[in-house]
């Protein structure tokens, strides 16, 4: 291969390496952004599930407070407070069921979804028991108090199941966070590796091209120096 053809070849190789490196960086960047978007979406969805579970826990406690507020209102013969308690209970039960239903459809683990389905009968028993005690309190406080032990048992049983669900959702949240971190690190290593290989190949090609251009110039300079020193033009 002549020097001119070699020069063209290596200049073309240098250009091809640069273009290929840029294309690979662009493609890997797009793939990394797609994976990161998926990881961020998953993390956001699981975070929303955590917030819904926290709100469901608060509603679980709020319903119990409604029951005792109804008993207190019955003792005080406060019809206004009894009406407010009934209204609060309806709101708390609705929020409780909504949070659980939305988490049942969320991006959770199979274990968390199964636990969500498992606690639904317990929620129905607990909220039904709360309604029964509150309704009885308005007409027969003694009968309402007699229902309290069963209500408290439903509360305790559901509390245990809610704690299990909270733990499973927390595990899923930690896993989603770990997945996002792993995806980011993988993207950094991939793009950094492509950039490093591209730079190495470009430097090698550039040095070879430099040699093709510089070596004849150095030879010419040596000949010119000899002519200057000896005056021999042969």
């Amino acid at each position: 291969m002549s020097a001119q053809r070699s020069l063209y070849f290596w200049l073309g190789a240098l250009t091809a390496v640069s273009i290929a490196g840029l294309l690979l960086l662009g493609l890997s960047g797009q793939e990394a952004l797609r994976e990161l978007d998926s990881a961020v979406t998953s993390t956001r969805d699981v975070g929303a599930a955590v917030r819904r579970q926290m709100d469901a826990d608060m509603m679980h406690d709020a319903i119990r407070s409604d029951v005792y507020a109804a008993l207190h209102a019955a003792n005080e013969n406060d019809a206004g407070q009894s009406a407010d308690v009934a209204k609060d209970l309806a709101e708390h039960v609705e929020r409780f069921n909504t949070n659980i239903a939305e988490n049942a459809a969320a991006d959770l683990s199979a274990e968390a979804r199964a636990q969500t389905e498992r606690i639904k009968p317990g929620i129905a028993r607990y909220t039904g028991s709360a309604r029964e005690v509150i309704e009885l309190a308005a007409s027969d406080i003694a009968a309402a108090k007699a229902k309290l032990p069963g209500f408290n048992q439903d509360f305790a049983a559901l509390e245990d199941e809610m704690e299990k669900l909270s733990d499973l959702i927390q595990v899923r949240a930690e896993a989603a966070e770990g997945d996002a971190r792993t995806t980011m690190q993988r993207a950094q290593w991939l793009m950094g590796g492509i950039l490093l290989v591209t730079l190495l190949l470009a430097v090698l090609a550039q040095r070879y091209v430099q040699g093709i251009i510089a070596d004849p110039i150095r030879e010419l300079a040596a000949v010119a120096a000899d002519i200057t020193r000896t005056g021999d033009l042969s």
Side-chain angles (χ1 to χ4, degrees), residues 46-100:
V46 175
V50 170
R51 290 191 295 274
R52 286 192 294 267
Q53 181 64 17
M54 291 175 63
D55 191 63
D57 281 332
M58 288 191 294
M59 294 305 100
H60 173 241
D61 293 333
I63 291 169
R64 189 186 191 195
S65 297
D66 292 336
V67 168
Y68 283 94
L71 292 173
H72 179 268
N75 276 328
E76 298 295 324
N77 198 23
D78 189 340
Q81 185 181 0
S82 296
D84 290 340
V85 169
K87 182 179 178 181
D88 290 342
L89 176 68
E91 178 184 346
H92 296 155
V93 170
E94 181 181 1
R95 281 177 60 181
F96 197 180
N97 287 324
T98 298
N99 285 320
I100 295 301

Side-chain angles (χ1 to χ4, degrees), residues 46 49-50 53 103 108 112 165-173:
V46 175
V50 170
Q53 181 64 17
N103 273 355
L108 301 176
L165 179 57
S166 297
D167 291 341
L168 290 170
I169 293 176
Q170 183 60 37
V171 169
R172 179 66 184 91

